Amino acid sequence: MNLCGWILKRAGWKVAITAPRRDKCVICVAPHTSNWDFPIGLFAYQSLRRKANFLMKESWFCFPLKYLFESLGGIPVPRHRSGDLTRTLINDFRKRKYMNLAVTPEGTRAGVTQWHTGFLRIAYGAGVPVQLGIIDYRRRLVTIKDEMQPTGDPEADLKRVKEYYSAYGNCARYPEKFNA
């Protein structure tokens, strides 16, 4: 067991990631209602000796945190380039041998009803599957078991994703902030 697995185990968490190991995929993580989602999800993935990339506000990539976040797989997101970001990430998938990009479709920890479709556009444009991850605070369990291939219709695909996660709202750290 590596350090990440040991830390999770000591904190009472279990990891059940049974989706196929992929060199390239987008990992959709919901519900996202707490800052704790990041370290728990990161440690869960790394406990299986897998590396996930993640998006984070560019302002966090300053000295010395820049080197930590980059080494963990962080990708800085400028506040003003949303359309360019999707194209950039699709190109990154095409250039890299390995990229598992974790994304929270809610885009924030606050309760929102409008989820972002960028993760679906990225997966479709890059030709990679979307794996569906859940951080279950009630059972202290991180799960990634199901996978879907985007159809190219982001609205229809998002409807399927939201239907999937609608059963997991009570698993959130703050269930009242989750809207599927």
Side-chain angles (χ1 to χ4, degrees):
M1 178 182 304
N2 63 18
L3 179 61
C4 290
W6 182 84
I7 291 170
L8 284 175
K9 186 175 182 179
R10 298 292 296 162
W13 283 85
K14 296 183 267 334
V15 177
I17 297 177
T18 57
R21 183 183 214 114
R22 302 277 185 204
D23 286 338
K24 296 181 181 185
C25 69
V26 171
I27 305 162
C28 176
V29 183
H32 176 47
T33 64
S34 168
N35 281 331
W36 283 105
D37 297 346
F38 173 70
I40 291 168
L42 183 69
F43 279 31
Y45 215 62
Q46 289 190 351
S47 75
L48 299 176
R49 300 196 187 320
R50 297 183 189 184
K51 184 174 184 176
N53 298 97
F54 55 90
L55 304 174
M56 185 177 263
K57 292 178 190 172
E58 184 178 52
S59 59
W60 282 93
F61 286 78
C62 59
F63 181 82
L65 293 176
K66 172 184 178 176
Y67 301 104
L68 172 65
F69 291 136
E70 285 177 350
S71 71
L72 292 173
I75 299 171
V77 177
R79 281 281 211 202
H80 57 279
R81 286 187 28 199
S82 61
D84 288 342
L85 180 63
T86 300
R87 281 189 292 280
T88 299
L89 291 168
I90 290 169
N91 287 332
D92 283 352
F93 268 105
R94 291 181 179 145
K95 291 176 192 171
R96 298 181 187 199
K97 286 182 140 183
Y98 182 93
M99 187 169 179
N100 286 193
L101 179 64
V103 177
T104 57
E106 297 152 287
T108 180
R109 294 168 311 282
V112 296
T113 55
Q114 186 73 29
W115 287 17
H116 299 272
T117 58
F119 74 102
L120 292 164
R121 295 175 196 281
I122 292 163
Y124 182 75
V128 302
V130 174
Q131 296 188 343
L132 304 170
I134 301 153
I135 300 174
D136 184 340
Y137 284 86
R138 284 180 315 131
R139 298 187 308 163
R140 291 184 165 277
L141 177 66
V142 178
T143 306
I144 303 174
K145 63 178 181 170
D146 295 306
E147 181 176 271
M148 65 175 276
Q149 194 68 42
T151 64
D153 181 347
E155 300 309 319
D157 290 341
L158 184 61
K159 183 178 179 191
R160 286 179 29 217
V161 170
K162 288 179 92 171
E163 285 172 2
Y164 177 87
Y165 283 109
S166 67
Y168 297 102
N170 59 352
C171 299
R173 174 93 166 110
Y174 301 105
E176 67 277 6
K177 292 183 179 181
F178 181 66
N179 298 304

